Amino acid sequence: MPQIEFDHVSKYFMNEKRRFAAIDELSLSIEAGDFVFLIGSSGAGKTTLLRLLANHITPEEGAIWVEGQQINRIPQWRRPLYRRRIGQVWQEPALIRKKTIGENLEIVQRAMGVSNRVIPQNTLKALSIVGMRTMADSYPYMLSGGQIKLVELARAIICNPHILLLDEITANLDDDTGWDIMNILNEINRRGTTIIMATHAKNFVNIMCRRVVTLVSGRIAGDVEKGKYGELR
Ligand SMILES: Nc1ncnc2c1ncn2[C@@H]1O[C@H](COP(=O)(O)OP(=O)(O)OP(=O)(O)O)[C@@H](O)[C@H]1O
């Protein structure tokens, strides 16, 4: 059974009083340990697909299965448990500005019910993986845009998620920082985490040579193993 399965999923939004499908009868299977680039022009539905998978929003039609569970049927009170298995980095800033990096990572672990005993070692481990171990006492405003993304990545992997959702994690970063992030992602994926990354970064997609799913108007226009940006089959 695939780890993730979208079965004829549609998600509608309103646009000037007209209902339109941001995700349109989409079916997609992803195996555990896969590395998937989600590409497509602005408005194609990439973020919406990730938000459906994160269970932030629910589809009007179809079913989404993750590890044998139909996630749109998970009762509200059990959703935090589900989210613990899903690491997430979104385009919007996620760190609390008045807390240090270490405190930010502590807060997210508490919210996920991690025992106090292991929080400090988890924090250091996650920061080490992204090369930010020495930054635990810094505040977010002291960090560059790239360092912020690295800390957000540490925050996303702190509970060893099975699946990592990334929305434009390299946007507005210089190439070197982008490559640092791609190398870390490669390593996280090599250790078994499934990665689904929405991106416009052509060069990263082309050099990484992983699965490329292309969305057009909420539908899958291409799905290529070891693909290149813009390759449809
Ligand atoms: N909450 C919402 N309410 C209304 N429309 C929405 C909402 N969220 C997304 N949309 C619309 O759904 C469509 C898909 O948006 P989405 O953000 O998923 O695209 P995207 O491929 O991630 O784009 P980008 O590359 O610019 O991030 C767009 O037309 C967008 O305006």
Side-chain angles (χ1 to χ4, degrees), residues 115-175:
S115 123
N116 278 341
R117 197 169 40 84
V118 294
I119 286 181
Q121 77 203 46
N122 274 359
T123 300
L124 276 185
K125 187 176 160 212
L127 286 176
S128 299
I129 290 173
V130 302
M132 297 285 288
R133 197 187 164 101
T134 57
M135 297 296 199
D137 296 327
S138 304
Y139 285 87
Y141 72 85
M142 299 163 127
L143 307 186
S144 68
Q147 289 174 321
I148 293 276
K149 282 296 164 194
L150 287 167
V151 172
E152 289 182 354
L153 184 55
R155 184 179 178 273
I157 59 168
I158 203 147
C159 287
N160 299 315
H162 303 178
I163 298 165
L164 186 54
L165 307 178
L166 306 167
D167 197 4
E168 300 278 354
I169 190 168
T170 61
N172 306 318
L173 301 183
D174 62 71
D175 263 9

Side-chain angles (χ1 to χ4, degrees), residues 20-45:
F20 76 100
I23 293 293
D24 193 4
E25 290 230 4
L26 180 143
S27 293
L28 174 69
S29 295
I30 296 174
E31 299 294 334
D34 219 346
F35 194 133
V36 182
F37 286 113
L38 203 53
I39 69 168
S41 54
S42 208

Side-chain angles (χ1 to χ4, degrees), residues 9-15 18-26 43-45 48 60-61 216-219:
V9 170
S10 297
K11 177 69 198 170
Y12 297 93
F13 291 119
M14 295 300 287
N15 181 8
R18 201 179 57 85
R19 194 170 100 127
F20 76 100
I23 293 293
D24 193 4
E25 290 230 4
L26 180 143
T48 305
E60 276 75 32
E61 289 158 15
V216 175
S217 307
R219 289 172 172 255

Side-chain angles (χ1 to χ4, degrees), residues 72-116:
N72 40 313
R73 294 253 173 97
I74 299 177
Q76 199 73 27
W77 64 275
R78 291 192 62 180
R79 290 193 179 168
L81 264 181
Y82 170 71
R83 295 204 183 112
R84 199 168 154 163
R85 285 186 273 148
I86 314 288
Q88 313 170 22
V89 180
W90 301 98
Q91 293 182 50
E92 300 76 25
L95 301 178
I96 303 169
R97 288 167 48 199
K98 291 191 172 162
K99 301 280 182 194
T100 65
I101 300 308
E103 288 165 346
N104 264 282
L105 298 194
E106 267 174 50
I107 289 166
V108 72
Q109 290 177 83
R110 290 229 179 78
M112 291 195 199
V114 176
S115 123
N116 278 341

